[in-house]
Amino acid sequence: MMKKLILITLSMTFTLISGFAVSQDRGIGGVESLRGNVELEVTRAADPLKKVPRDQLDIESSYVFQPPLIPHHIRSYEISLNANKCLSCHSWTKAKQMGATKISVTHFTNRNDEVLADVSPRRYFCLQCHVTQADAKPLVGNSFERVKSLQ
Amino acid sequence: MKWIINALKGFWTILRRPSKAAVGIVLFMGFAGGLMFWGAFNTGMEATNTEEFCSGCHAPIVAEIRDTIHYANRSGVRAICSDCHVPHAWTDKIIRKVQASKELFAFFITKTINTPERFKERRAHLAEREWARMKKNDSLECRNCHNFEFMDFSEQSPRSVRQHSTALASGEKTCVDCHKGIAHRLPDMHKVEGWN
């Protein structure tokens, strides 16, 4: 009886261990994901970079209070302590002359809702919220619709 | 002391005496010597126009061009330091090179840009000098490649056309008035027209 019990336990442990080992080897087990049909341990080749169009029509907002998207390319536009290239067209003093959209008044308030005389430091780095758009298809289909007021 | 004076005197008499060689040979020697001197001079000039030479002192700023379109782009045409910072016409080039010898003084004697920190402090001054130079010559070094006559506005983006067909076309503005920091990081721009 004792012998039999030991044998069963051993064989079960074996099966478990070997099964575990096999599943580790199997990688994605043939299941394709967003990552594509590539085994886990393999580094997948990167997708080609998307091109940002030089100029496109204004991109409409998808939801209320969405930071407007940048409808032009911004290669080499410096935003640093020294210079802010965006503001050389989008600041209030330049926007009209340059035919650009003015930054909104919300950019002049600090986190205590105090209105400042110039762009608030927390709003200075434009690309934290505003980004360029490439013609990239959504990875997963979805049925998102704009809110009624923006349609 | 006396022998030096004698040697000089001897050399002078050789120079004064008509050569015994045929006129043709003398002319040929003069011609060959001239060629060699001219070749060596131009080779020297070319050597001081290379990126490696510029990097010798301006290393941090030379590296900055790598992010920009004047270094990497779709067609592989690129500009090096001298394309923009040294005039291409011979006389202007010599004048700039002589001015540059003063800049050697700044690097080796007064040591204004010999560390990255000092370079950073000096950047505004260096940039302003280049802007002033290019403003004065109507952005000649830009125009060596980017010729206004051949700009096709229909190929440009509307934003570019708006500026190029008005202010640039009328000569009211020149390239560098707007295109600052196209190959380098910018200095503090808060007091610069168009940026503040």
Side-chain angles (χ1 to χ4, degrees):
Chain A
M1 185 64 201
M2 195 63 187
K3 246 184 176 177
K4 227 176 183 179
L5 203 70
I6 291 173
L7 206 73
I8 291 170
T9 327
L10 265 178
S11 58
M12 272 176 73
T13 330
F14 243 146
T15 332
L16 269 175
I17 290 173
S18 57
F20 185 62
V22 166
S23 71
Q24 280 240 309
D25 283 343
R26 250 187 248 140
I28 58 169
V31 180
E32 197 178 314
S33 67
L34 281 180
R35 209 173 154 265
N37 195 4
V38 183
E39 294 299 322
L40 282 178
E41 58 274 23
V42 179
T43 304
R44 189 174 74 96
D47 288 331
L49 292 176
K50 298 279 190 300
K51 262 183 117 170
V52 175
R54 284 191 70 79
D55 266 290
Q56 46 187 322
L57 296 173
D58 286 357
I59 308 161
E60 282 172 38
S61 294
S62 296
Y63 55 92
V64 183
F65 265 93
Q66 177 193 338
L69 296 162
I70 304 174
H72 55 77
H73 85 118
I74 53 162
R75 182 178 177 179
S76 300
Y77 283 16
E78 183 169 337
I79 303 174
S80 66
L81 183 64
N82 285 337
N84 185 321
K85 177 72 177 166
C86 306
L87 287 180
S88 66
C89 290
H90 294 280
S91 73
W92 282 46
T93 47
K94 300 282 173 353
K96 200 169 181 186
Q97 182 196 352
M98 304 304 290
T101 313
K102 274 195 291 195
I103 54 170
S104 101
V105 277
T106 56
H107 295 63
F108 293 83
T109 51
N110 66 10
R111 63 178 175 182
N112 300 322
D113 277 341
E114 292 159 344
V115 180
L116 310 178
D118 204 351
V119 178
S120 171
R122 66 171 184 161
R123 301 295 195 122
Y124 181 81
F125 293 100
C126 316
L127 301 184
Q128 280 183 334
C129 300
H130 304 279
V131 287
T132 53
Q133 290 293 288
D135 186 23
K137 296 276 167 290
L139 290 172
V140 187
N142 67 77
S143 55
F144 179 85
E145 268 179 44
R146 290 199 171 95
V147 284
K148 273 270 173 329
S149 55
L150 292 181
Q151 275 173 1
Chain B
M1 195 62 202
K2 207 161 185 194
W3 71 269
I4 298 177
I5 293 169
N6 278 338
L8 278 175
K9 270 185 179 167
F11 184 62
W12 183 239
T13 35
I14 290 172
L15 280 186
R16 272 177 61 94
R17 259 206 315 249
S19 167
K20 288 193 191 81
V23 179
I25 291 176
V26 174
L27 275 178
F28 175 77
M29 280 165 64
F31 189 68
L35 262 182
M36 275 161 63
F37 172 75
W38 188 243
F41 183 74
N42 263 350
T43 312
M45 290 276 281
E46 287 303 314
T48 60
N49 255 5
T50 59
E51 236 174 7
E52 292 74 28
F53 182 82
C54 301
S55 304
C57 301
H58 298 267
I61 216 164
V62 173
E64 283 171 2
I65 195 180
R66 291 189 183 163
D67 300 336
T68 74
I69 199 151
H70 284 95
Y71 181 86
N73 51 60
R74 64 196 174 283
S75 58
V77 184
R78 67 158 302 209
I80 62 167
C81 319
S82 55
D83 288 328
C84 307
H85 293 290
V86 182
H88 295 200
W90 197 82
T91 341
D92 298 337
K93 186 157 137 181
I94 299 295
I95 293 171
R96 186 69 192 88
K97 289 284 182 196
V98 172
Q99 285 172 349
S101 55
K102 200 195 97 189
E103 288 148 25
L104 291 177
F105 183 78
F107 186 80
F108 290 107
I109 313 293
T110 52
K111 297 193 191 305
T112 50
I113 60 162
N114 65 342
T115 67
E117 291 75 21
R118 286 184 186 163
F119 203 106
K120 211 173 145 193
E121 254 174 51
R122 197 77 171 157
R123 183 190 282 277
H125 170 77
L126 298 170
E128 271 154 25
R129 271 193 56 176
E130 270 310 280
W131 295 336
R133 188 182 69 80
M134 297 196 81
K135 176 102 180 142
K136 208 173 143 197
N137 69 10
D138 195 17
S139 309
L140 178 66
E141 279 75 48
C142 306
R143 294 176 193 269
N144 281 335
C145 295
H146 301 273
N147 197 322
F148 179 77
E149 297 294 313
F150 305 109
M151 273 186 189
D152 184 350
F153 290 154
S154 68
E155 288 285 340
Q156 291 186 356
S157 67
R159 292 189 296 151
S160 315
V161 175
R162 195 181 301 127
Q163 308 303 327
H164 292 159
S165 63
T166 53
L168 183 69
S170 67
E172 176 198 333
K173 295 274 183 194
T174 185
C175 316
V176 78
D177 282 327
C178 299
H179 299 277
K180 289 188 168 76
I182 46 151
H184 303 294
R185 309 275 299 164
L186 287 160
D188 186 358
M189 300 299 279
H190 291 102
K191 291 202 176 89
V192 180
E193 195 207 334
W195 291 81
N196 39 15

